[in-house]
Amino acid sequence: MACISHTFGASMKIGQLPVATQRQFPNKLSQLLFLHPKNLRSLKLCDSQSYNRLNRYQSYTAIFNSLSSDHANSDERISVLVIGGGGREHSLCYALKRSQSCDAVFCAPGNAGISNSGDATCIEDLDIFDSSAVIAFCRKWEIGLVVVGPEAPLVSGLTNDLLKAGIHAFGPSSEAAALEGSKNFMKSICDKYGIPTAKYETFTDPLAAKKYINEQGAPIVVKADGLAAGKGVIVATTLQEAFEAVDSILVNGSFGKAGSSIIVEEFLEGEEASFFAIVDGENALPLESAQDHKRVGDGDTGPNTGGMGAYCPAPVLTQELQSLVMSSIILPTVTGMAKEGCKFVGVLYAGLMIEKKSGLPKLIEYNVRFGDPECQVLMVRLESDLAQVLLAACKGELNTVSLEWAPGSAMVVVMASNGYPGSYVKGTKIQNLEEAEAAAPGVKIFHAGTAVDADGDYVANGGRVLGVTAKGKDLEEARDRAYRAVEEIKWDGGFYRKDIGWRALPLKQKSSTC
């Protein structure tokens, strides 16, 4: 359906739809938001503040696309609020919108691409770190489930406050989120419950850290203990690089409070992979495997980033290895967290190293939310009702649901602003996105950092800006479709890796440069 550009205006009357909309929905007006008595009462459109909020954030397309054509079972349906505004959150909104049990999808703060795509209603002015404001919004709009995307609100305790208010929230408590918020805490859980991981020591004194590094030798890994947006890990190939990393974090404070202490860890040689499991405190349900590309440059060169692309499934994670990850890493963690008095509810995202010398998985780190950009490839392949699965996890009923996946593979290529992961310029114009999505079957563009300028054009508003995602019957077809879409996009201010999937597929030679 073509996007309707009008927004709610003061002249529109409640219960009256514009002519264009009546033509598109000729037989189901009584099922739409404006004419359904239950929804009309719950949205309180007569309230001027609510009316103005919709006037500012909602397009007709976003409302109509968020409602099912079958409203007869509305009592069994829920509205969902997604917290965050990146590519991960866009893909979650996309999957939730397709969920049969989902009545409407809101996203706070969201971004221009999420809003314009019709995948969710974006609430830009809702402060996601103000729990009272989030709770008030949920009560006003009868939100049945909150899905917290990024790690920072989880670590700060948003889920704790929502649960106290009686609102279902998918995501761990602040205590359980320490698995990601503190690498030292994660390592201590591994030590206590026999979870395989790299040998390590924790330091706050730079001299002691350097002494230990000198004893261990290089290559070696230096990590900021706290949250550093995926950039707090330095893989040092020489002693000098390791010493500089120590000084950068502990002496110069390059990561602020996140670097008040560091982990110095043995270097593991092998192939990295991402493993995800939805957890309800006691049970764990594995998702499909995926593989991220952390380094900024082709051939896994340059500094680490938040992720430059991913594919799903990851051939390196065989069925045997997935079973081993569940039994030796995921389930002991779930059990251990429960014994520690902080049951984990949410997504356990295990960053793994499949060791070259042993062929066995070791835990590099935990994240406590869906990975970005792995979430994008997972969500385009997911065929289950995501809202019901996440709600079951919140209720401790994960053993009552299962996951179904579309056959084949998916790939996402991240397009980032020039200079990322260092300093970059905002405001560069991006064009041809509609043409890109139409370039090949199965293409979906997820917006991670976009805004709209005065002329109505998309502009870059972040480091990682777009996640060009495609499905295919196999990984090669998914790759070809994704890059075909990427090449349609006109953006002078951005770049992307041209070898996503190189570990699983031979790099296809391109006839033109981008």
Side-chain angles (χ1 to χ4, degrees), residues 223-236:
K223 300 180 177 181
D225 178 57
L227 299 177
K231 303 171 189 174
V233 178
I234 298 92
V235 180

Side-chain angles (χ1 to χ4, degrees), residues 157-173:
L158 176 59
T159 298
N160 301 54
D161 297 333
L162 288 167
L163 294 177
K164 287 177 185 176
I167 298 168
H168 289 302
F170 181 76
S173 65

Side-chain angles (χ1 to χ4, degrees), residues 34-93:
F34 298 94
L35 302 182
H36 194 289
K38 179 178 181 291
N39 283 329
L40 189 62
R41 288 195 302 272
S42 68
L43 287 175
K44 300 182 179 68
L45 287 179
C46 293
D47 181 311
S48 61
Q49 181 179 357
S50 302
Y51 186 91
N52 289 336
R53 173 164 287 177
L54 282 176
N55 180 54
R56 182 175 178 189
Y57 298 113
Q58 184 66 291
S59 68
Y60 295 130
T61 302
I63 286 183
F64 300 144
N65 285 352
S66 69
L67 297 176
S68 167
S69 60
D70 180 12
H71 227 77
N73 298 321
S74 60
D75 288 341
E76 301 175 8
R77 301 163 64 81
I78 59 170
S79 295
V80 181
L81 171 63
V82 176
I83 299 294
R88 165 184 48 225
E89 288 74 37
H90 190 178
S91 65
L92 289 170
C93 290

Side-chain angles (χ1 to χ4, degrees), residues 100-260:
Q100 292 298 313
S101 65
C102 195
D103 203 33
V105 184
F106 297 89
C107 187
N111 64 47
I114 297 174
S115 179
N116 290 347
S117 69
D119 290 327
T121 302
C122 292
I123 313 300
E124 297 176 10
D125 63 353
L126 181 59
D127 184 355
I128 62 176
F129 290 97
D130 183 347
S131 295
S132 60
V134 175
I135 291 167
F137 179 89
C138 291
R139 286 176 172 161
K140 185 168 188 175
W141 299 92
E142 297 186 357
I143 301 297
L145 172 66
V146 178
V147 180
V148 185
E151 61 273 20
L154 293 169
V155 173
S156 67
L158 176 59
T159 298
N160 301 54
D161 297 333
L162 288 167
L163 294 177
K164 287 177 185 176
I167 298 168
H168 289 302
F170 181 76
S173 65
S174 59
E175 295 81 7
L179 277 174
E180 178 172 359
S182 170
K183 294 179 180 63
N184 186 56
F185 175 80
M186 184 273 288
K187 287 288 194 177
S188 67
I189 292 291
C190 289
D191 286 347
K192 190 170 183 178
Y193 295 98
I195 299 164
T197 188
K199 185 177 68 173
Y200 77 102
E201 292 288 345
T202 303
F203 299 95
T204 56
D205 178 4
L207 292 178
K210 290 178 182 179
K211 180 181 177 182
Y212 178 79
I213 289 169
N214 196 55
E215 292 170 351
Q216 300 301 313
I220 199 164
V221 182
V222 181
K223 300 180 177 181
D225 178 57
L227 299 177
K231 303 171 189 174
V233 178
I234 298 92
V235 180
T237 57
T238 67
L239 291 177
Q240 186 59 36
E241 286 181 12
F243 296 157
E244 290 173 357
V246 170
D247 287 338
S248 174
I249 300 172
L250 288 181
V251 179
N252 301 327
S254 56
F255 295 110
K257 292 181 179 179
S260 57

